[in-house]
Amino acid sequence: MGESQRFQLGTIGALGLSVVSSVSIVICNKALISTLGFTFATTLTSWHLLVTFCSLHVALWMKLFEHKPFDARAVMGFGILNGISIGLLNLSLGFNSVGFYQMTKLAIIPCTVLLETLFFRKQFSRSIQFSLTILLLGVGIATVTDLQLNALGSFLSLLAVLTTCVAQIMTNTIQKKFKVSSTQLLYQSCPYQALTLFVIGPFLDGLLTNQNVFAFNYTPQVLFFIVLSCLISVSVNFSTFLVIGKTSPVTYQVLGHLKTCLVLTFGYVLLRDPFSWRNILGILVAVIGMVLYSYYCTLENQQKASEASAQISQAKEAESDPLLTVENGSGMLGDGAAKAPVWNSNKDLHA
């Protein structure tokens, strides 16, 4: 099996693990929050990250992965930023209507595309932009109901979108820049994320729910679902870093909207949640957008792979045939002037 095939299988596995674990934790947390009344989402997330770190520490002790320290300031800044983005998303939900919060989540994809285009010179083809537009339209139809605006809620949503986009872009760029795996990055950043949310979590949850997390009645049933949620979160956090590292922040957001559609479908089928033709239409349109996005991404990756193999074969031919090198311009011309090699600025500047 070739390296590209192994990479594709690894990517498919990461996507599948992310979908299964995320849908599972949503169902678990829905039972914990809606049925059992444990509404302290930010504090619960800090426990998720603490359990994830402990699990990875055990894995490191068992030598399942190698610890690779790198820039400590980058890790600290990344971990704190991730924790802040989670807190801001929870605040956005608390100070806005559900419909406006869904619009906030939809805005993450175009914001990510804009940031990557401006600061990383990454180009998105018209086909990719079209498929993302179809996807966002479908998810909007299925999830956005009311759009009640207020100044504080809008400001918090803007901060939530910006911090989430930057954090997810950093997840991808740090892994590539420092050549660390998703597991190594998650292991080193988890303590900072957990500490950030552990400090601000009780305050934010108290602000949003008017309840004290430490005064809650922790029955055996509540404790069971908390432990189950924390265990599933290990897979959620690991697959999140894995997917972003193997693909891109935009692809991860597309996957997130697939999870939203699956959660809506499972809620209707298993829990008999209210469902309308608008939800069905939105999910169908979103699925069409996801299929188009996957198709165009696969097509573009194949084109890049064929171009790269063609360049490698041309380089090998040039090395084996000196006359070909002279004809291509790297040799000396008859009049004694050196001909500079051709440099394609577009190809070298853009990924």
Side-chain angles (χ1 to χ4, degrees):
M1 184 182 293
E3 185 176 347
S4 62
Q5 289 179 318
R6 286 198 298 269
F7 180 81
Q8 289 176 353
L9 285 176
T11 303
I12 293 172
L15 295 172
L17 178 64
S18 180
V19 170
V20 172
S21 57
S22 295
V23 172
S24 300
I25 202 169
V26 166
I27 294 173
C28 177
N29 287 348
K30 187 169 185 179
L32 183 61
I33 293 173
S34 301
T35 306
L36 300 176
F38 187 85
T39 56
F40 310 103
T42 309
T43 304
L44 180 63
T45 305
S46 70
W47 297 345
H48 287 171
L49 290 164
L50 182 61
V51 171
T52 299
F53 174 73
C54 293
S55 302
L56 289 176
H57 194 70
V58 171
L60 178 65
W61 177 74
M62 296 174 64
K63 298 183 178 178
L64 296 179
F65 72 96
E66 181 184 354
H67 180 45
K68 185 180 178 181
F70 58 99
D71 192 340
R73 291 201 308 178
V75 174
M76 182 185 298
F78 169 71
I80 293 174
L81 180 64
N82 257 311
I84 291 173
S85 71
I86 294 171
L88 285 171
L89 281 171
N90 288 339
L91 278 175
S92 174
L93 177 59
F95 283 89
N96 290 299
S97 64
V98 175
F100 191 81
Y101 174 72
Q102 292 296 338
M103 285 295 296
T104 299
K105 292 174 66 178
L106 291 178
I108 292 175
I109 284 184
C111 182
T112 303
V113 169
L114 178 63
L115 290 177
E116 288 196 308
T117 302
L118 291 177
F119 296 102
F120 294 92
R121 296 181 179 179
K122 185 173 181 179
Q123 292 182 334
F124 295 86
S125 65
R126 292 288 178 86
S127 301
I128 295 293
Q129 293 176 22
F130 172 73
S131 62
L132 290 175
T133 302
I134 297 296
L135 165 66
L136 295 176
L137 176 64
V139 177
I141 293 173
T143 60
V144 177
T145 52
D146 57 326
L147 287 176
Q148 301 174 10
L149 302 179
N150 65 81
L152 178 59
S154 300
F155 177 69
L156 291 172
S157 295
L158 177 62
L159 291 179
V161 169
L162 289 175
T163 53
T164 301
C165 291
V166 172
Q168 291 181 0
I169 291 173
M170 286 180 67
T171 304
N172 183 273
T173 54
I174 285 177
Q175 291 185 52
K176 289 179 169 56
K177 179 180 179 181
F178 296 102
K179 293 181 173 57
V180 293
S181 68
S182 54
T183 311
Q184 292 167 333
L185 177 58
L186 180 60
Y187 174 71
Q188 294 185 63
S189 62
C190 247
Y192 300 108
Q193 295 183 60
L195 182 61
T196 302
L197 290 176
F198 193 77
V199 171
I200 67 175
F203 170 74
L204 290 185
D205 290 333
L207 181 66
L208 296 173
T209 64
N210 292 321
Q211 297 182 42
N212 187 348
V213 64
F214 301 109
F216 188 79
N217 182 24
Y218 290 90
T219 64
Q221 193 175 12
V222 170
L223 291 175
F224 170 78
F225 276 98
I226 288 176
V227 171
L228 180 61
S229 178
C230 288
L231 292 176
I232 298 174
S233 73
V234 177
S235 177
V236 173
N237 292 324
F238 173 72
S239 62
T240 296
F241 280 57
L242 194 61
V243 168
I244 296 177
K246 284 185 172 292
T247 57
S248 69
V250 173
T251 299
Y252 175 72
Q253 285 300 322
V254 170
L255 188 68
H257 292 308
L258 170 61
K259 299 171 194 174
T260 300
C261 294
L262 289 175
V263 168
L264 288 174
T265 304
F266 288 156
Y268 172 70
V269 174
L270 300 178
L271 305 176
R272 299 299 176 185
D273 287 343
F275 216 64
S276 66
W277 284 106
R278 175 177 174 174
N279 299 126
I280 297 173
L281 175 63
I283 289 174
L284 290 176
V285 173
V287 168
I288 292 172
M290 292 173 202
V291 171
L292 289 174
Y293 178 79
S294 301
Y295 171 74
Y296 290 133
C297 281
T298 303
L299 202 63
E300 291 184 6
N301 288 334
Q302 290 175 348
Q303 290 175 350
K304 290 179 181 178
S306 61
E307 289 174 2
S309 61
Q311 289 175 358
I312 292 173
S313 62
Q314 287 177 1
K316 288 181 179 178
E317 289 176 3
E319 290 175 0
S320 61
D321 190 351
L323 293 177
L324 184 61
T325 305
V326 173
E327 290 173 3
N328 285 338
S330 59
M332 296 296 293
L333 297 180
D335 57 2
K339 182 179 178 182
V342 179
W343 182 66
N344 189 331
S345 61
N346 289 331
K347 181 179 68 179
D348 289 321
L349 283 178
H350 301 297

